[in-house]
Amino acid sequence: MPEWFNQTNWRWCNKCQGLWFAGNPSKGACPGGDGHTHSGSGDYYTLVYNTTFGANQQDNWRWCNKCQGLWFAGNPSKGACPGGDGHTHSGSGDYILPFA
């Protein structure tokens, strides 16, 4: 069975309404200006990564080390990153998100 991890310290940013990782010194580039903020957000969000996924779950969600945000890497486009150019998944695990 592969090793999997629960990662805490994901926060909601009240400027961009996005989910970002607050466990690094950088607050990342926020589309709302400056860095993200966790004002109004507790440490409520725990993401699972590097495991197999099942029904009603989607893998290939990645952390971007430029903006600290979570983005879907399963499309050909890397998306627009507020940190410049497209998102990057360098150093990221493969996050699994549930869906209905």
Side-chain angles (χ1 to χ4, degrees), residues 6 23 25 32-33 41-43 58 85 91 97:
N6 286 321
S41 175
D43 187 7
Q58 184 179 47
D85 299 321
L97 296 181

Side-chain angles (χ1 to χ4, degrees), residues 22-92:
N24 288 323
S26 170
K27 292 183 177 182
C30 175
D34 299 322
H36 294 287
T37 178
H38 57 75
S39 177
S41 175
D43 187 7
Y44 306 127
Y45 309 99
T46 300
L47 299 182
V48 176
Y49 66 101
N50 293 350
T51 187
T52 57
F53 63 99
N56 297 333
Q57 295 178 332
Q58 184 179 47
D59 73 332
N60 221 357
W61 286 88
R62 305 297 173 129
W63 161 77
C64 176
N65 63 22
K66 294 187 294 183
C67 71
Q68 301 299 317
L70 191 67
W71 64 287
F72 184 65
N75 289 322
S77 170
K78 293 182 178 182
C81 177
D85 299 321
H87 294 290
T88 178
H89 59 72
S90 177
S92 175

